[in-house]
Amino acid sequence: MEEALQGKHNGPVPLYGYRYTADREYEVDWEAAYVLQIIMDLLDQKKSYKFIIKFLAEKGIDPPSVYLAKKYNAKLCKTSSIWNKTTLKKIARNKAYLGYSVRHKEEACVLGTKGTRAVNKADQILVPNRQPKIIREEQFNRVNEWLDERAAKSGCKSGPRRRVSALYKNVYCVHCGSALSRRRYHEDNDFYYCLAKRENPLSDCTFPPIETAVLEKAVFSVIQFNLRLFTDSKKKILKALNHNMADYHAIMERFQERAEEIKQKKMNLYEDYRAGHVSREEYLIKKQKLSEQLVPLEAGIQKVEEGIRKYDEANIIFYSDFARLVDEFRNEEALSPELADAFIEKVLVDKNHNIEVVFKFQDEINMLCMRKAS
C-alpha cells in the first residue's frame, strides 16, 4: 500500500505509452504515445470505433498487447492481435495518461486467498503528477463527455449489463479462432458475427453471419438429446443393476468360498507331497485337476466383479454434478445463458455453418452412449 501511495510500479511490463526508469517510475515511450495521441485526436473528431480500428490496421500499427509483448519479450495473460473497441475504450478512459498513478484496482475477495475482485473507481488510489501527461486534460474531458453521451443515447447504464447472448464467450469461428458475438438490431436482423471479421476491416476471415435462431436452436437440440439420454439411461440401467445386485453378492460369496476350499486342498496336497505320503507323479496329476477347477471359479468372480464395478460407475454418474444439473435444467424449453454455462465447454462453427458442441461432461456422456450401445 505504501508503494501505491508513492506511485511506484512493480509490474514486469509498463503501461502502454510509458517505459520504466531506473527508479521504477514512468517516462514517456514516444513511439506508443504517438499512437495514443492519434486515437484521442480521432475520438475528439467524433470518429467511430470502426473508423479508428480500420485506420490503425491500415497503418500496420500493433495493438498494445502485441507491442508490449514484442518490446519486452513478455508473455502476457491476455493478448489480442487486432485493435478492438474494448482496447480503445480503455485508452480513452484511463486517467493514467493524465499523469495519475492509478493503484489499488483489485483486492482479495477473502484475506489469505488468491481470489481477487475489481475495486470501485471511487475507492481506487489516484496519485497525481506521478508521470508525464500524454493526453491533454481538456481533450480527455471532451472525449469522455462525448463517450458518455453516446452511451446514454444507446441506452447503456452504469450498472451491470444484461447478457443478450446465451452463448457469450462459448462460441467460436473455426476459420480464425475468434469468438462469435451476437448482434440484434430488430427481430428480422439477429445474427452471430465473427468478431475478427467485424472489428478488423482487413481480416481475411470468410465466416458468414449465422442466424441466432438457427445456432441456438441447434445447440439446444444437442443439449436436449444428451439430457434425454441421461434420464432414459438412468431408469433402464438402475433397474437392471438393482435387479442383479442382490444376486451378485451371494454369487460372489459362493465363488470365493469354493475357491478358498480348492486353494486349501492344493496346500494340503503339497504338504503331503513334502512328507512323502504322495508320489511326485500323483502330486502333479492332482494339482493339475485342482487348478482346472479354479479356472471357471476365477472367471465367474471376474464377471461378478465387473457387474459390481458397473453398478458403482453408474452410481458415480447418477449422483454426480452432471446428474444434479440434469435434474435442474431438464424442463427448460429454450437455450438460456444458465443452461449453456452449465453444460457447454465451447461451440465451434465453420463457414458452412456446421456446428460442433463440446460438452463439459463429455466423459459421462461417452460412458452413457457406450452403455446404451451395449
Side-chain angles (χ1 to χ4, degrees), residues 163-219:
R163 178 168 160 182
V164 175
S165 168
L167 297 173
Y168 177 67
K169 289 188 177 180
N170 283 331
V171 59
Y172 298 91
C173 170
V174 171
H175 180 74
C176 67
S178 294
L180 301 186
S181 177
R182 182 182 176 186
R183 291 292 183 272
R184 181 181 182 182
Y185 301 103
H186 49 78
E187 288 186 4
D188 297 329
N189 191 348
D190 190 354
F191 290 86
Y192 276 85
Y193 295 84
C194 174
L195 272 178
K197 184 176 180 180
R198 179 181 177 83
E199 296 191 349
N200 182 8
L202 303 182
S203 171
D204 62 352
C205 183
T206 58
F207 181 86
I210 180 171
E211 286 187 46
T212 295
V214 172
L215 175 58
E216 295 191 354
K217 183 179 179 181
V219 173

Side-chain angles (χ1 to χ4, degrees), residues 35 48 62 122 125 142 167 175 196 200 246-247 279 292 336 355:
V35 177
S48 68
D62 288 329
I125 297 173
R142 279 199 308 271
L167 297 173
H175 180 74
N200 182 8
D247 295 332
S279 66
E292 289 174 357
S336 65
I355 301 166

